[in-house]
Coordinates of all heavy atoms in Angstrom, one line a residue:
M912 N 110.6 125.4 103.7 CA 109.9 125.2 102.4 C 110.1 123.8 101.9 O 109.2 123.2 101.4 CB 110.4 126.2 101.4 CG 109.8 126.1 100.1 SD 108.1 126.6 100.2 CE 107.7 126.9 98.6
R913 N 111.3 123.3 102.1 CA 111.6 121.9 101.7 C 110.8 120.9 102.4 O 110.2 120.0 101.8 CB 113.1 121.7 101.9 CG 113.5 120.3 101.3 CD 115.0 120.2 101.5 NE 115.5 119.1 100.7 CZ 116.7 118.7 100.7 NH1 117.6 119.3 101.3 NH2 117.0 117.6 99.9
A914 N 110.6 121.1 103.7 CA 109.8 120.2 104.6 C 108.3 120.2 104.1 O 107.7 119.2 104.1 CB 109.9 120.6 106.0
L915 N 107.9 121.4 103.7 CA 106.5 121.5 103.2 C 106.3 120.7 101.9 O 105.3 120.1 101.7 CB 106.1 123.0 103.0 CG 104.7 123.3 102.6 CD1 103.7 122.8 103.6 CD2 104.5 124.8 102.4
L916 N 107.3 120.8 101.0 CA 107.2 120.1 99.8 C 107.2 118.5 100.0 O 106.5 117.8 99.4 CB 108.4 120.4 98.8 CG 108.3 121.8 98.2 CD1 109.5 122.2 97.5 CD2 107.0 121.9 97.3
I917 N 108.1 118.1 101.0 CA 108.1 116.7 101.3 C 106.8 116.2 101.9 O 106.3 115.2 101.5 CB 109.3 116.4 102.2 CG1 110.6 116.6 101.5 CG2 109.2 115.0 102.8 CD1 111.8 116.5 102.4
A918 N 106.2 117.0 102.8 CA 105.0 116.7 103.4 C 103.9 116.6 102.3 O 103.0 115.7 102.4 CB 104.6 117.7 104.5
A919 N 103.9 117.6 101.4 CA 102.8 117.6 100.4 C 103.0 116.3 99.5 O 102.0 115.7 99.1 CB 102.9 118.8 99.5
A920 N 104.2 115.9 99.2 CA 104.4 114.8 98.3 C 104.0 113.5 99.1 O 103.4 112.6 98.4 CB 105.9 114.6 98.0
L921 N 104.2 113.4 100.3 CA 103.8 112.2 101.1 C 102.3 112.2 101.2 O 101.7 111.1 101.1 CB 104.4 112.2 102.5 CG 105.9 111.9 102.6 CD1 106.4 112.1 104.0 CD2 106.2 110.5 102.0
F922 N 101.7 113.3 101.4 CA 100.2 113.4 101.5 C 99.6 113.0 100.2 O 98.6 112.2 100.1 CB 99.8 114.8 101.9 CG 98.3 114.9 102.0 CD1 97.6 114.4 103.1 CD2 97.5 115.6 101.0 CE1 96.2 114.5 103.2 CE2 96.2 115.7 101.1 CZ 95.5 115.1 102.2
A923 N 100.1 113.4 99.1 CA 99.6 113.0 97.7 C 99.8 111.6 97.4 O 99.0 110.9 96.7 CB 100.3 113.9 96.7
A924 N 100.9 110.9 98.0 CA 101.1 109.5 97.7 C 100.4 108.6 98.7 O 100.3 107.4 98.4 CB 102.6 109.3 97.9
A925 N 99.7 109.1 99.7 CA 99.0 108.3 100.7 C 98.0 107.4 100.1 O 97.9 106.2 100.4 CB 98.4 109.2 101.8
P926 N 97.2 107.8 99.1 CA 96.2 106.9 98.5 C 96.8 105.7 97.8 O 96.2 104.6 97.8 CB 95.4 107.8 97.5 CG 95.6 109.2 98.0 CD 96.9 109.2 98.7
A927 N 98.0 105.8 97.4 CA 98.7 104.7 96.7 C 99.0 103.6 97.7 O 99.1 102.5 97.4 CB 100.0 105.2 96.0
F928 N 99.2 104.0 99.0 CA 99.5 103.0 100.0 C 98.2 102.5 100.7 O 98.3 101.5 101.5 CB 100.4 103.6 101.1 CG 101.7 104.0 100.5 CD1 102.1 105.3 100.5 CD2 102.6 103.1 100.1 CE1 103.3 105.7 100.0 CE2 103.8 103.4 99.6 CZ 104.2 104.7 99.5
A929 N 97.1 103.0 100.4 CA 95.8 102.6 101.0 C 95.5 101.2 100.5 O 95.7 100.8 99.4 CB 94.7 103.5 100.7
Q930 N 94.9 100.4 101.4 CA 94.6 99.0 101.1 C 93.4 99.0 100.2 O 92.4 99.7 100.4 CB 94.3 98.2 102.3 CG 94.2 96.8 102.1 CD 94.1 96.0 103.4 OE1 93.9 96.6 104.5 NE2 94.1 94.7 103.3
A931 N 93.4 98.2 99.1 CA 92.3 98.1 98.2 C 91.1 97.5 98.9 O 91.3 96.6 99.7 CB 92.6 97.3 97.0
P932 N 89.9 97.9 98.7 CA 88.7 97.2 99.3 C 88.6 95.8 98.9 O 89.0 95.4 97.8 CB 87.5 98.0 98.8 CG 88.0 98.7 97.6 CD 89.5 98.9 97.7
A933 N 88.2 94.9 99.8 CA 88.0 93.5 99.5 C 86.9 93.4 98.4 O 85.9 94.1 98.4 CB 87.6 92.8 100.7
A934 N 87.1 92.4 97.5 CA 86.1 92.1 96.5 C 84.9 91.6 97.2 O 85.0 90.9 98.2 CB 86.7 91.1 95.5
A935 N 83.8 91.9 96.6 CA 82.5 91.5 97.2 C 82.2 90.0 97.0 O 82.6 89.4 96.1 CB 81.4 92.3 96.5
T936 N 81.4 89.5 98.0 CA 80.8 88.2 97.9 C 79.3 88.4 97.8 O 78.7 89.2 98.5 CB 81.2 87.4 99.2 OG1 82.6 87.2 99.3 CG2 80.5 86.1 99.2
S937 N 78.8 87.7 96.8 CA 77.3 87.9 96.6 C 76.7 86.6 96.1 O 77.3 85.7 95.6 CB 77.1 89.0 95.5 OG 77.7 88.6 94.3
A938 N 75.4 86.6 96.3 CA 74.6 85.5 95.8 C 73.2 86.0 95.3 O 72.7 87.0 95.8 CB 74.3 84.5 97.0
V939 N 72.7 85.3 94.3 CA 71.3 85.5 93.9 C 70.6 84.3 94.2 O 70.9 83.2 93.8 CB 71.3 85.8 92.3 CG1 69.8 86.0 91.9 CG2 72.1 87.1 92.0
L940 N 69.6 84.4 95.0 CA 68.8 83.3 95.5 C 67.7 82.9 94.4 O 67.1 83.8 93.8 CB 68.1 83.6 96.8 CG 69.0 84.1 97.9 CD1 68.2 84.4 99.2 CD2 70.1 83.1 98.2
A941 N 67.5 81.6 94.3 CA 66.5 81.1 93.4 C 65.1 81.4 93.9 O 64.2 81.7 93.1 CB 66.7 79.6 93.1
D942 N 64.9 81.5 95.2 CA 63.6 81.8 95.8 C 63.8 83.0 96.8 O 64.3 82.8 97.9 CB 63.1 80.6 96.6 CG 61.8 80.7 97.2 OD1 61.2 81.8 97.0 OD2 61.4 79.8 98.0
A943 N 63.4 84.1 96.3 CA 63.5 85.4 97.1 C 62.8 85.2 98.5 O 63.2 85.9 99.4 CB 63.0 86.6 96.4
A944 N 61.8 84.4 98.6 CA 61.1 84.2 99.8 C 62.0 83.7 100.9 O 61.7 83.8 102.1 CB 59.9 83.4 99.6
R945 N 63.1 83.0 100.6 CA 64.0 82.4 101.6 C 65.0 83.4 102.1 O 65.7 83.1 103.0 CB 64.7 81.2 101.0 CG 63.9 80.1 100.5 CD 63.6 78.9 101.4 NE 64.7 78.6 102.4 CZ 65.4 77.5 102.3 NH1 65.2 76.6 101.3 NH2 66.3 77.2 103.2
A946 N 65.0 84.6 101.5 CA 66.0 85.6 101.9 C 65.8 86.1 103.3 O 64.6 86.3 103.7 CB 66.0 86.8 100.9
P947 N 66.8 86.2 104.1 CA 66.6 86.7 105.5 C 66.1 88.2 105.4 O 66.5 88.9 104.5 CB 68.0 86.6 106.1 CG 68.9 86.7 105.0 CD 68.2 86.0 103.8
T948 N 65.3 88.6 106.4 CA 64.8 89.9 106.5 C 65.8 90.9 107.1 O 65.8 92.1 106.9 CB 63.5 90.0 107.2 OG1 63.7 89.4 108.5 CG2 62.4 89.2 106.5
G949 N 66.7 90.3 107.9 CA 67.7 91.1 108.6 C 69.1 90.6 108.2 O 69.3 89.9 107.2
R950 N 70.0 90.9 109.0 CA 71.4 90.4 108.8 C 71.5 89.0 109.2 O 70.9 88.6 110.2 CB 72.3 91.3 109.6 CG 73.8 91.0 109.4 CD 74.6 92.0 110.2 NE 74.5 91.7 111.6 CZ 75.5 91.8 112.4 NH1 76.7 92.3 112.1 NH2 75.4 91.5 113.7
A951 N 72.3 88.2 108.5 CA 72.5 86.8 108.8 C 74.1 86.6 108.8 O 74.7 87.1 107.9 CB 71.8 85.9 107.9
I952 N 74.6 85.8 109.7 CA 76.0 85.5 109.8 C 76.2 84.1 109.4 O 75.6 83.2 109.9 CB 76.5 85.8 111.2 CG1 76.2 87.2 111.7 CG2 78.0 85.5 111.3 CD1 76.9 88.3 111.0
I953 N 77.1 83.9 108.4 CA 77.5 82.6 107.9 C 79.0 82.5 107.9 O 79.6 83.3 107.1 CB 76.9 82.2 106.6 CG1 75.3 82.3 106.6 CG2 77.3 80.8 106.1 CD1 74.7 82.1 105.3
D954 N 79.6 81.7 108.7 CA 81.1 81.6 108.7 C 81.7 82.9 108.9 O 82.8 83.2 108.3 CB 81.6 80.9 107.4 CG 81.2 79.4 107.3 OD1 80.9 78.8 108.4 OD2 81.1 78.9 106.2
G955 N 81.2 83.7 109.7 CA 81.7 85.0 110.1 C 81.4 86.1 109.1 O 81.7 87.3 109.3
A956 N 80.8 85.8 108.0 CA 80.4 86.8 107.0 C 79.0 87.4 107.3 O 78.1 86.6 107.6 CB 80.4 86.2 105.6
S957 N 78.9 88.6 107.2 CA 77.6 89.3 107.5 C 76.9 89.5 106.2 O 77.2 90.3 105.3 CB 77.9 90.7 108.1 OG 76.7 91.4 108.3
W958 N 75.7 88.7 106.0 CA 74.9 88.7 104.8 C 73.7 89.6 105.0 O 73.0 89.6 106.0 CB 74.5 87.3 104.5 CG 75.6 86.5 103.9 CD1 76.4 85.7 104.6 CD2 75.9 86.3 102.5 NE1 77.3 85.0 103.8 CE2 76.9 85.4 102.5 CE3 75.3 86.8 101.4 CZ2 77.5 85.0 101.3 CZ3 75.9 86.4 100.2 CH2 77.0 85.5 100.1
T959 N 73.4 90.4 104.0 CA 72.2 91.2 103.9 C 71.6 90.9 102.5 O 72.3 90.8 101.5 CB 72.4 92.7 104.1 OG1 73.3 93.2 103.2 CG2 72.8 92.9 105.6
C960 N 70.3 90.9 102.4 CA 69.6 90.6 101.2 C 68.6 91.7 100.9 O 68.0 92.3 101.7 CB 68.9 89.3 101.2 SG 70.0 87.9 101.5
D961 N 68.5 92.0 99.6 CA 67.5 92.9 99.0 C 66.7 92.1 98.0 O 67.2 92.0 96.8 CB 68.1 94.2 98.5 CG 67.1 95.2 98.0 OD1 65.9 95.0 98.3 OD2 67.5 96.1 97.3
G962 N 65.6 91.5 98.3 CA 64.9 90.6 97.4 C 65.8 89.4 97.3 O 66.4 88.9 98.3
P963 N 66.0 88.9 96.1 CA 66.8 87.7 95.9 C 68.4 88.0 95.9 O 69.2 87.1 95.9 CB 66.4 87.2 94.5 CG 66.0 88.4 93.8 CD 65.4 89.3 94.8
S964 N 68.7 89.3 95.8 CA 70.2 89.6 95.7 C 70.7 89.8 97.1 O 70.3 90.7 97.9 CB 70.3 90.9 94.9 OG 69.9 90.7 93.6
C965 N 71.8 89.0 97.5 CA 72.4 89.1 98.8 C 73.9 89.4 98.6 O 74.5 89.0 97.7 CB 72.2 87.8 99.5 SG 70.5 87.2 99.7
T966 N 74.4 90.2 99.6 CA 75.8 90.5 99.6 C 76.4 90.3 101.0 O 75.6 90.3 102.0 CB 76.1 92.0 99.2 OG1 75.4 92.8 100.1 CG2 75.7 92.2 97.8
A967 N 77.7 90.0 101.1 CA 78.3 89.7 102.3 C 79.6 90.5 102.5 O 80.2 90.9 101.5 CB 78.6 88.3 102.5
S968 N 79.9 90.8 103.7 CA 81.3 91.4 104.0 C 81.9 90.6 105.1 O 81.2 90.0 105.9 CB 81.1 92.8 104.4 OG 80.3 92.9 105.6
G969 N 83.2 90.5 105.0 CA 84.0 89.8 106.0 C 83.9 88.3 105.8 O 83.5 87.8 104.7
G970 N 84.2 87.5 106.8 CA 84.0 86.1 106.8 C 85.3 85.3 106.8 O 86.4 85.9 106.5
A971 N 85.2 84.0 107.0 CA 86.4 83.2 107.0 C 86.9 83.0 105.6 O 86.2 83.0 104.6 CB 86.0 81.8 107.6
N972 N 88.2 82.7 105.5 CA 88.8 82.4 104.2 C 88.6 81.0 103.9 O 89.0 80.1 104.7 CB 90.3 82.8 104.3 CG 90.9 82.8 102.9 OD1 90.2 82.8 101.9 ND2 92.2 82.7 102.8
Q973 N 87.9 80.6 102.8 CA 87.6 79.3 102.5 C 87.4 79.2 101.0 O 87.3 80.2 100.3 CB 86.3 78.9 103.2 CG 85.1 79.7 102.9 CD 83.9 79.5 103.7 OE1 83.7 78.3 104.1 NE2 83.2 80.5 104.1
P974 N 87.4 77.9 100.5 CA 87.1 77.8 99.1 C 85.7 78.3 98.7 O 84.8 78.2 99.5 CB 87.2 76.2 98.9 CG 87.9 75.7 100.0 CD 87.6 76.7 101.2
A975 N 85.6 78.9 97.5 CA 84.4 79.5 97.1 C 83.2 78.5 97.0 O 82.1 78.8 97.4 CB 84.6 80.1 95.7
T976 N 83.5 77.3 96.6 CA 82.5 76.3 96.6 C 81.9 75.9 97.9 O 80.7 75.7 98.1 CB 83.0 75.0 95.9 OG1 84.2 74.6 96.5 CG2 83.2 75.3 94.4
R977 N 82.8 75.9 98.9 CA 82.3 75.7 100.3 C 81.4 76.8 100.8 O 80.4 76.6 101.4 CB 83.4 75.4 101.3 CG 83.0 75.2 102.7 CD 84.1 75.0 103.7 NE 83.7 74.5 105.0 CZ 83.1 75.3 105.9 NH1 83.0 76.5 105.7 NH2 82.7 74.7 107.0
A978 N 81.9 78.0 100.5 CA 81.1 79.2 100.9 C 79.7 79.2 100.3 O 78.7 79.4 100.9 CB 81.8 80.5 100.6
C979 N 79.7 78.8 99.0 CA 78.4 78.7 98.3 C 77.5 77.6 98.9 O 76.3 77.9 99.2 CB 78.6 78.3 96.8 SG 77.1 78.3 95.8
R980 N 78.0 76.4 99.2 CA 77.2 75.4 99.9 C 76.7 75.8 101.2 O 75.5 75.5 101.5 CB 78.1 74.1 100.0 CG 78.3 73.4 98.8 CD 78.9 72.0 99.0 NE 80.0 71.9 99.9 CZ 81.3 72.1 99.5 NH1 81.6 72.3 98.2 NH2 82.3 72.0 100.3
R981 N 77.5 76.6 102.0 CA 77.0 77.1 103.3 C 75.8 78.1 103.1 O 74.9 78.0 103.9 CB 78.2 77.7 104.0 CG 79.3 76.7 104.3 CD 79.1 75.9 105.5 NE 79.2 76.7 106.7 CZ 78.7 76.4 107.8 NH1 78.1 75.2 108.0 NH2 78.8 77.2 108.9
V982 N 75.9 78.9 102.1 CA 74.9 79.9 101.9 C 73.6 79.1 101.4 O 72.5 79.4 101.8 CB 75.3 81.0 100.8 CG1 74.1 81.8 100.4 CG2 76.4 81.9 101.5
A983 N 73.8 78.2 100.4 CA 72.6 77.5 99.9 C 72.0 76.6 101.0 O 70.7 76.5 101.0 CB 73.1 76.6 98.8
A984 N 72.7 76.1 101.9 CA 72.1 75.3 103.0 C 71.3 76.2 103.9 O 70.3 75.8 104.5 CB 73.3 74.7 103.9
R985 N 71.6 77.5 104.1 CA 70.9 78.4 104.9 C 69.8 79.2 104.2 O 68.7 79.3 104.8 CB 71.9 79.4 105.5 CG 71.4 80.4 106.5 CD 71.5 79.9 108.0 NE 71.2 80.9 108.9 CZ 72.0 81.7 109.5 NH1 73.3 81.6 109.3 NH2 71.6 82.7 110.3
F986 N 70.0 79.6 103.0 CA 69.1 80.5 102.3 C 68.3 79.7 101.2 O 67.4 80.3 100.6 CB 69.8 81.7 101.6 CG 70.5 82.6 102.6 CD1 71.5 83.4 102.2 CD2 70.1 82.6 103.9 CE1 72.1 84.3 103.0 CE2 70.8 83.5 104.8 CZ 71.8 84.4 104.3
G987 N 68.7 78.5 100.8 CA 68.1 77.8 99.7 C 69.0 77.9 98.5 O 70.1 78.5 98.5
A988 N 68.5 77.3 97.4 CA 69.3 77.3 96.1 C 69.7 78.7 95.7 O 68.9 79.6 95.8 CB 68.5 76.6 95.1
V989 N 70.8 78.7 95.0 CA 71.3 80.0 94.4 C 71.4 79.8 92.9 O 71.6 78.7 92.4 CB 72.7 80.4 95.0 CG1 72.7 80.6 96.5 CG2 73.8 79.4 94.6
S990 N 71.1 80.9 92.2 CA 71.2 80.9 90.8 C 72.5 81.6 90.3 O 72.9 81.4 89.1 CB 70.0 81.6 90.1 OG 69.9 82.9 90.6
A991 N 73.2 82.3 91.2 CA 74.5 82.9 90.9 C 75.2 83.0 92.2 O 74.6 83.3 93.3 CB 74.4 84.2 90.2
F992 N 76.5 82.9 92.2 CA 77.4 83.1 93.4 C 78.7 83.6 93.0 O 79.4 83.1 92.1 CB 77.5 81.8 94.2 CG 78.1 81.9 95.6 CD1 77.2 82.2 96.6 CD2 79.4 81.8 95.8 CE1 77.7 82.4 97.9 CE2 79.9 81.9 97.1 CZ 79.1 82.2 98.1
S993 N 79.2 84.6 93.7 CA 80.5 85.2 93.5 C 81.2 85.3 94.9 O 80.6 85.9 95.8 CB 80.3 86.6 92.9 OG 81.6 87.2 92.8
Y994 N 82.4 84.8 95.0 CA 83.1 84.8 96.2 C 84.3 85.6 96.1 O 85.2 85.3 95.3 CB 83.5 83.3 96.6 CG 84.2 83.2 97.9 CD1 83.5 83.4 99.1 CD2 85.5 82.9 98.0 CE1 84.1 83.3 100.3 CE2 86.2 82.8 99.2 CZ 85.5 83.0 100.4 OH 86.1 82.9 101.6
K995 N 84.4 86.7 96.8 CA 85.5 87.6 96.8 C 85.8 88.0 95.4 O 87.0 88.1 95.0 CB 86.7 87.0 97.6 CG 86.3 86.8 99.0 CD 87.5 86.5 99.9 CE 86.9 86.3 101.3 NZ 88.0 86.1 102.3
G996 N 84.8 88.3 94.6 CA 85.0 88.8 93.2 C 85.1 87.8 92.2 O 85.2 88.1 91.0
V997 N 85.1 86.5 92.5 CA 85.3 85.4 91.5 C 83.9 84.7 91.4 O 83.5 84.1 92.4 CB 86.4 84.4 91.9 CG1 86.5 83.3 90.9 CG2 87.7 85.2 92.0
A998 N 83.3 84.7 90.2 CA 82.0 84.1 90.0 C 82.2 82.6 89.8 O 83.1 82.2 89.1 CB 81.3 84.7 88.8
L999 N 81.3 81.8 90.3 CA 81.3 80.4 90.1 C 80.7 80.1 88.8 O 79.8 80.8 88.3 CB 80.5 79.7 91.2 CG 81.0 79.8 92.7 CD1 80.2 78.9 93.6 CD2 82.5 79.4 92.7
S1000 N 81.1 79.0 88.2 CA 80.6 78.5 86.9 C 79.2 77.9 87.1 O 78.9 77.5 88.2 CB 81.6 77.5 86.2 OG 81.6 76.3 87.0
A1001 N 78.6 77.6 86.0 CA 77.3 76.9 86.1 C 77.4 75.5 86.7 O 76.5 75.1 87.5 CB 76.7 76.8 84.7
E1002 N 78.5 74.8 86.4 CA 78.7 73.5 87.0 C 79.0 73.6 88.5 O 78.5 72.8 89.3 CB 79.9 72.8 86.4 CG 79.7 72.5 84.9 CD 80.0 73.7 84.0 OE1 80.7 74.6 84.3 OE2 79.4 73.6 82.9
Q1003 N 79.7 74.6 88.9 CA 79.9 74.9 90.3 C 78.7 75.2 91.1 O 78.4 74.8 92.2 CB 81.0 75.9 90.6 CG 82.4 75.5 90.1 CD 83.4 76.6 90.1 OE1 83.1 77.7 89.6 NE2 84.6 76.3 90.6
I1004 N 77.8 76.0 90.4 CA 76.5 76.4 91.0 C 75.7 75.2 91.2 O 75.0 75.0 92.2 CB 75.8 77.5 90.2 CG1 76.6 78.8 90.1 CG2 74.4 77.7 90.6 CD1 76.6 79.6 91.4
A1005 N 75.6 74.3 90.2 CA 74.8 73.1 90.3 C 75.3 72.2 91.4 O 74.5 71.7 92.2 CB 74.9 72.3 89.0
A1006 N 76.7 72.1 91.6 CA 77.2 71.3 92.7 C 76.9 72.0 94.0 O 76.6 71.3 95.0 CB 78.7 71.2 92.5
C1007 N 76.9 73.3 94.1 CA 76.6 74.0 95.3 C 75.1 73.7 95.7 O 74.9 73.5 96.9 CB 76.7 75.5 95.0 SG 76.1 76.6 96.3
N1008 N 74.2 73.7 94.8 CA 72.8 73.4 95.1 C 72.5 72.0 95.4 O 71.4 71.7 95.8 CB 71.9 74.0 94.0 CG 72.0 75.5 94.0 OD1 72.0 76.2 95.0 ND2 72.0 76.1 92.8
A1009 N 73.4 71.0 95.0 CA 73.1 69.6 95.2 C 73.0 69.2 96.6 O 73.5 69.7 97.5 CB 74.2 68.8 94.5

């Protein structure tokens, strides 16, 4: 009985040890016509777009501003960019699109 209680306690605690999902990386393209129709890989991140809204999973660890510049170079100007859950400011977006 004691072993059963210990097993139940460990099972109930398992979600606490689960790794939290990685924060999303996303971009809103200024020109939806530039969005890829399929999957696109940039710096190891797998990007998919639905209209002007694009999201990515995975990828190299890099500064958010560099990631933004790489996306803008491939997909065109962005009007919003969030890297691993941190949104870039208007000034950073302007620099990204320059």
Side-chain angles (χ1 to χ4, degrees):
M912 181 66 163
R913 185 176 194 183
L915 182 60
L916 289 174
I917 292 172
L921 289 175
F922 181 73
F928 296 114
Q930 189 173 9
T936 297
S937 63
V939 177
L940 305 181
D942 181 6
R945 300 266 326 250
T948 56
R950 185 176 72 143
I952 305 295
I953 302 174
D954 293 334
S957 177
W958 286 88
T959 56
C960 298
D961 182 13
S964 299
C965 302
T966 57
S968 60
N972 193 15
Q973 60 188 323
T976 52
R977 180 180 190 279
C979 183
R980 285 192 310 272
R981 300 278 290 162
V982 169
R985 182 94 172 264
F986 298 160
V989 299
S990 58
F992 192 84
S993 176
Y994 182 72
K995 299 190 179 188
V997 177
L999 295 186
S1000 68
E1002 294 81 23
Q1003 290 170 316
I1004 295 289
C1007 170
N1008 290 324

